[in-house]
Amino acid sequence: MSQTSSPYSNYIIQAEPTLHNPDNLKAGEMLLNMGPQHPSTHGVLRLEVITDGEIITDVVPHIGYLHRCFEKHAETRAYNLTIPFVDRMDYLAAMNSEHVWAMGVEKMLGIDGQLPRRVEFIRVLVAELNRIASHFLAIGTYAIDIGAYTPFLWMLRDREHIQRLLEWVSGARMLYNYIWIGGLYYDLPVGFEERCREFIDYLQPKLDEFEDILLKNKIFIDRTANIGVLPLNVAINYGCSGPMLRGSGLKFDLRRVDGYSVYPELEFDIPVGQGIMGTTGDCWDRNYIRALECRESSRIIRQCLDHLETDCKRTPDFDPQAMCPKKIRPKEQELYFRAETPRGELGYFFRATGKSDIPFRCKGRSPCFSNLSVLHEISRGCMVADMIAIVGSVDIVLGELDR
Amino acid sequence: MTYNELKDLLTEKFGAEIITGENTQNPQPFLNIKTDRLADVCQELFTNPQTYFDYLACITGLDNGPEVGTLEVIYNLYSIPYDHHLTLKVITERLTPTGALPTVPTVSHIWRTADWHEREAYDLVGINFTGHPDLRRILCAHDWEGHPLRRDYEWPEYYHGLKVRYDNHNEVNGFKGEFFKTFED
């Protein structure tokens, strides 16, 4: 830790001390600092890498560069005022984060399951749209990481449609504040259902197209298959969730397991990694899961649109804020509520005192946090260039990781 | 297994004295475990084929404030094959008589995910996990002073010459934070 006596101290000038002391490295080993402004780290992630030639012997992530102490903020604001903060945690999937927060508070208030069905279907619809957008950005930037530029532009072009749809719904492109506790900010705009259906029809051939150009591409397979293999027992022990866990071959999706909101009524499959191009749990599997989940999400969106156009039709007297409580004061209790976001299990732990509109303690369990902690297990013994492929396949969002 | 079956199993194995309290009124009932037996209890829950808690979802550190004088650590366990939950809780004093941080045994040798969660609890709440392989700050800077989620935490004026509390526009406008006070009884 101390760098005063080290001959390398002039070269490693940094705020955060490294875990490994450069003086104690073995012959031939090298301490390499990647980040926090490295382009392929998807934000401000710093990796301390010990390499032996080109082979990585250890990786130590240093996180916290984007730490805004969400939990401290949440202890000073009422439940409904925290929703914009929740948006800024996972800024690529803000609808999903809001959905989890709103469901957790509703469960504490005891109004879960009493919401109008139209509200529930709209929530699932926008959450799944955002899931597709998030997966598109994950796969697109992943393609850039390993040297494919064209698919990135294609995916951002298609993601733009989703962002415009969500802007039409909520007025914002990324940070929505649309799902409120007990309801929604506003009903869907007139004509949204038709436009959304058009988009899903447009999306289907695009999904085939990018699967052909990217995922079935020989170069892509060579770069990702058999790289960063995450065995299932390691994944569970490290608390991985979402596409990381499913990529390792476990059929575990909280939308099915917990069956929250209207998901039990909807038909969708849970894709799991099968090691088609290499070993189960490699980088290719994780990305293939994301691509398949986009197809499942578009199936869910179609079913939601069917419901929204038939049995939960728009009516003039429908008020999406009808169930919103005027005073959000849960009884004294502790609750851990979890749900599935594009990155995995997002959980909130609340403690309510029963005397205040402010949570006494609120902890956000971020899926990226647990997913990244497995990094040193799966990148030991691989090449430096492969580690970029592994970090990208974890799909981290630093805003959520650091909270 | 239901909550009562799990409780009976732990009582049978370790004796009734390890359970210092419980709350069954809560929507998710929880057990208070004696602090020094926590690692044994977790090991049993992890390895016993009847319980098989293979997934540690979350560890929350919580400060009850100087008036109460206790800290809590809450463990949310989940078993993927059996689909059952258990919430364990450990309560310690806020500071030891010598003024050092309170200690809780680590569970990071059972669930590796606890490694980072415990580092976070150490960083933000100030709990010393004994036996942890690498207990450093994780979210705050390494030379940050104090533990921000403690109730008596005070923000520093400066950090490396940077002013920490930079927004005095509220005071300029005459806003003294009454807005948030109205939410309290």
Side-chain angles (χ1 to χ4, degrees), chain A residues 78-210:
Chain A
Y79 292 96
N80 50 346
L81 298 181
T82 311
I83 293 179
F85 289 79
V86 172
D87 283 342
R88 281 147 183 83
M89 274 173 66
D90 187 351
Y91 42 78
L92 296 182
M95 284 291 187
N96 298 74
S97 309
E98 284 170 18
H99 195 191
V100 183
W101 178 271
M103 283 191 296
V105 179
E106 282 157 13
K107 191 156 189 185
M108 282 204 293
L109 292 169
I111 57 170
D112 56 321
Q114 302 169 20
L115 265 56
R117 276 169 62 78
R118 184 169 168 87
V119 168
E120 294 280 12
F121 278 115
I122 293 174
R123 283 182 174 192
V124 171
L125 172 73
V126 293
E128 294 299 327
L129 275 174
N130 209 337
R131 189 185 302 273
I132 295 178
S134 171
H135 281 335
F136 269 25
L137 198 77
I139 303 171
T141 51
Y142 186 65
I144 280 209
D145 284 353
I146 60 172
Y149 201 80
T150 310
F152 171 71
L153 297 175
W154 291 14
M155 310 211 86
L156 252 72
R157 177 195 64 198
D158 296 338
R159 178 172 172 267
E160 188 64 30
H161 290 284
I162 300 177
Q163 286 193 311
R164 288 196 180 159
L165 282 174
L166 293 178
E167 187 184 4
W168 193 17
V169 167
S170 68
R173 280 166 57 84
M174 279 176 84
L175 308 164
Y176 308 106
N177 193 10
Y178 178 66
I179 297 176
W180 283 8
I181 291 158
L184 300 166
Y185 170 50
Y186 204 70
D187 197 1
L188 290 179
V190 176
F192 182 86
E193 290 91 337
E194 295 77 22
R195 177 70 189 83
C196 190
R197 205 179 279 281
E198 260 175 44
F199 166 70
I200 294 297
D201 291 338
Y202 159 85
L203 191 69
Q204 292 302 322
K206 301 290 174 195
L207 288 168
D208 298 334
E209 195 180 60
F210 86 68

Side-chain angles (χ1 to χ4, degrees), chain A residues 266-309:
Chain A
L266 300 171
E267 273 180 33
F268 63 98
D269 296 327
I270 303 164
V272 292
Q274 293 164 335
I276 299 169
M277 294 297 168
T279 319
T280 305
D282 57 7
C283 292
W284 191 86
D285 264 351
R286 290 197 274 279
N287 280 287
Y288 192 54
I289 297 290
R290 293 199 180 98
L292 292 178
E293 274 184 16
C294 292
R295 292 177 188 275
E296 298 305 323
S297 289
S298 56
R299 266 176 80 188
I300 296 175
I301 290 169
R302 273 183 206 281
Q303 295 171 52
C304 286
L305 289 173
D306 289 343
H307 282 286
L308 288 173
E309 285 176 340

Side-chain angles (χ1 to χ4, degrees), chain A residues 240-394:
Chain A
C240 296
S241 49
M244 283 283 275
L245 186 58
R246 290 194 284 276
S248 295
L250 184 69
K251 206 169 188 169
F252 184 76
D253 190 324
L254 293 175
R255 288 177 289 175
R256 273 277 177 264
V257 173
D258 284 1
Y260 54 87
S261 197
V262 287
Y263 282 111
E265 299 173 31
L266 300 171
E267 273 180 33
F268 63 98
D269 296 327
I270 303 164
V272 292
Q274 293 164 335
I276 299 169
M277 294 297 168
T279 319
T280 305
D282 57 7
C283 292
W284 191 86
D285 264 351
R286 290 197 274 279
N287 280 287
Y288 192 54
I289 297 290
R290 293 199 180 98
L292 292 178
E293 274 184 16
C294 292
R295 292 177 188 275
E296 298 305 323
S297 289
S298 56
R299 266 176 80 188
I300 296 175
I301 290 169
R302 273 183 206 281
Q303 295 171 52
C304 286
L305 289 173
D306 289 343
H307 282 286
L308 288 173
E309 285 176 340
T310 53
D311 58 327
C312 303
K313 223 172 176 166
R314 179 195 310 274
T315 49
D317 56 340
F318 171 70
D319 181 11
Q321 299 178 8
M323 286 289 289
C324 288
K326 295 283 174 291
K327 190 174 180 134
I328 301 170
R329 181 163 295 186
K331 291 194 194 75
E332 182 180 357
Q333 60 186 307
E334 290 177 13
L335 184 83
Y336 175 72
F337 189 83
R338 57 176 195 172
E340 188 85 15
T341 69
R343 272 153 267 285
E345 173 182 337
L346 175 64
Y348 291 111
F349 176 86
F350 300 99
R351 172 186 280 187
T353 55
K355 293 185 187 131
S356 165
D357 294 352
I358 300 172
F360 183 74
R361 174 80 167 93
C362 167
K363 152 107 184 177
R365 186 263 191 216
S366 148
C368 308
F369 188 76
S370 297
N371 286 356
L372 188 71
S373 68
V374 82
L375 180 68
H376 69 103
E377 287 279 342
I378 56 178
S379 55
R380 205 174 279 146
C382 71
M383 302 282 186
V384 174
D386 292 341
M387 203 196 63
I388 301 300
I390 293 169
V391 172
S393 76
V394 176

